[in-house]
Amino acid sequence: MRQKQEGLRTGASKLVNQVVWRRVWFASIALLLIVVSARQAEAQFSGPALGISSEVNPPITITTDPAILFPGPRDIYLGTGDVLSVHIFGNTDYSPVVRVGLDGTVQLPLIGNLMVDNLTVHQTQDLIAQKLKAAGMYRDPQVSVQLTDSPNQIVTVLGELHGIVPVIGERRLFDVLAAVGAGGGAGGGGAVGATTVVVGGGGLPSTASHVLTINRYGMAQPIIIDLGTDPAKSALINIPIFPRDTIIVPRVGVVYLLGAFKTQGAIPLQQNSPITLMKIAALAGGPGWEGRFNDLRIIRTTGTTRQVVKVDISKVINGKAPDPVLLAEDIVFLPTNPMKAAIKSGGISTLLGIASILILAIQQ
């Protein structure tokens, strides 16, 4: 009789345990389904916010006019702080040495104040001769002006390379960039010597664009130069650089990676070859296992219009779909599969832990 009662109790206990396990199992499945079915909120977005009057992503036109790229000899322009030595041929008594003041004038004997700011050396010589002749001091003076010291005979380099290079007369573009690079002027704090410019711009920092902008004193429009990557064409881009020129070395365009990549962030574009989706994925360590491979999105902004292109990266990897070429400022977004993300982040073990706690609570 006792054995029969114990058997009934054991059977009832097993039945209760089965019911408890089923409830825990269903609760775990329900919790997992809630996690899997949770979707991220997607907001409607048609492009960047408009708050500027200038054109977004304006096109760049490379300067090709030989008259602009390779002008003839350029006279020196005078400016504040220049030290001038004035002489009259055949007359050693008149040889003043003067400095251009903050107001752009010089104080000369027999003439007084004379505005020379933004005048060339030859224009200054002619102006001094006219003033001396008008004052009745000389009949036909032959004036020569020598620039003995000047803070203005420099070229300024800004951007990924930055520095100041003294230039008297003219120097070539590669010489100026190499002088800045040899001085360790990398915009990203690069090592000395790592930015020395070689033919084709191969010595620029990896973050520097090969399209340079040169703002030339006296010219309304900037000069746009593409250094390119072909050494055979270096002579066509090694243009003369004059004092007061400003060379801007901009940062190269980048592609932004978001989502289920092993490494997220901005990746600079390569200068010597097009950058494709496969190359970007390789540089980022490859797509993560939790990514939705068939739902990769390339977000591209053209002007004020934003376009979204969906790509199946698994087909691209297997060679069943073409490898898209990316452009500067593209955003590559690989969404995350919630179930895979839960498994990768320990979601199953968490559910099992909760189930164990529920079982212990029920048994107690």
Side-chain angles (χ1 to χ4, degrees):
M1 188 69 179
R2 290 181 179 178
Q3 292 180 351
K4 187 175 182 180
Q5 291 178 352
E6 290 179 356
L8 292 174
R9 290 176 182 176
T10 302
S13 178
K14 289 182 179 180
L15 182 61
V16 170
N17 288 337
Q18 289 179 357
V19 173
V20 170
W21 271 105
R22 287 179 183 176
R23 291 180 179 178
V24 171
W25 174 256
F26 284 124
S28 301
I29 293 297
L31 182 60
L32 181 60
L33 290 176
I34 292 174
V35 173
V36 172
S37 61
R39 299 184 60 87
Q40 298 177 352
E42 296 182 358
Q44 296 295 327
F45 182 74
S46 59
L50 300 180
I52 55 176
S53 58
S54 60
E55 184 180 1
V56 180
N57 297 334
I60 298 177
T61 303
I62 304 299
T63 304
T64 57
D65 188 355
I68 298 177
L69 298 176
F70 296 93
R74 184 185 178 100
D75 204 348
I76 297 175
Y77 284 87
L78 302 180
T80 301
D82 288 346
V83 177
L84 310 179
S85 179
V86 183
H87 300 278
I88 296 179
F89 180 75
N91 189 337
T92 58
D93 295 334
Y94 195 91
S95 57
V97 177
V98 292
R99 182 183 294 272
V100 181
L102 296 177
D103 58 353
T105 64
V106 292
Q107 183 76 23
L108 290 174
L110 307 179
I111 297 177
N113 287 336
L114 190 65
M115 176 61 71
V116 297
D117 188 29
N118 292 330
L119 295 181
T120 66
V121 171
H122 286 90
Q123 290 173 342
T124 303
Q125 291 176 168
D126 294 339
L127 181 60
I128 293 175
Q130 292 175 8
K131 293 294 183 180
L132 290 174
K133 186 176 180 180
M137 298 300 175
Y138 296 91
R139 180 177 298 178
D140 188 16
Q142 298 181 18
V143 179
S144 66
V145 174
Q146 228 176 1
L147 184 63
T148 59
D149 187 19
S150 175
N152 302 307
Q153 305 308 304
I154 58 173
V155 171
T156 304
V157 183
L158 301 175
E160 294 305 290
L161 279 177
H162 52 262
I164 295 176
V165 180
V167 174
I168 301 297
E170 70 175 59
R171 294 182 69 176
R172 293 289 174 168
L173 175 61
F174 288 167
D175 297 335
V176 173
L177 295 179
V180 177
V192 175
T195 57
T196 302
V197 177
V198 296
V199 174
L204 290 174
S206 59
T207 57
S209 172
H210 285 192
V211 179
L212 311 183
T213 300
I214 302 174
N215 295 320
R216 176 152 296 168
Y217 181 77
M219 292 185 59
Q221 298 297 326
I223 301 173
I224 309 297
I225 297 295
D226 186 358
L227 297 180
T229 57
D230 188 359
K233 299 180 180 179
S234 60
L236 301 176
I237 55 179
N238 194 19
I239 65 173
I241 300 297
F242 301 102
R244 296 193 182 188
D245 281 357
T246 300
I247 303 174
I248 302 174
V249 184
R251 181 179 289 270
V252 72
V254 296
V255 173
Y256 300 93
L257 293 182
L258 297 174
F261 287 98
K262 293 184 179 179
T263 302
Q264 301 185 41
I267 296 182
L269 295 179
Q270 299 178 6
Q271 297 285 316
N272 56 354
S273 64
I275 194 76
T276 64
L277 178 61
M278 288 289 289
K279 291 181 180 180
I280 287 291
L283 292 173
W289 175 76
E290 72 278 11
R292 297 208 303 259
F293 287 6
N294 61 346
D295 193 24
L296 182 140
R297 306 168 191 180
I298 299 176
I299 305 170
R300 179 168 298 171
T301 301
T302 304
T304 58
T305 303
R306 176 157 288 183
Q307 301 175 341
V308 179
V309 178
K310 292 189 177 182
V311 179
D312 189 341
I313 191 173
S314 60
K315 291 184 178 180
V316 177
I317 294 175
N318 295 324
K320 297 180 180 180
D323 192 6
V325 177
L326 303 177
L327 302 179
E329 302 303 317
D330 279 356
I331 301 172
V332 180
F333 174 52
L334 180 60
T336 300
N337 185 303
M339 178 179 292
K340 292 182 178 180
I343 295 174
K344 183 177 180 180
S345 61
I348 296 298
S349 60
T350 302
L351 292 177
L352 293 178
I354 295 174
S356 301
I357 295 172
L358 291 175
I359 292 172
L360 293 175
I362 293 173
Q363 290 178 349
Q364 292 176 356

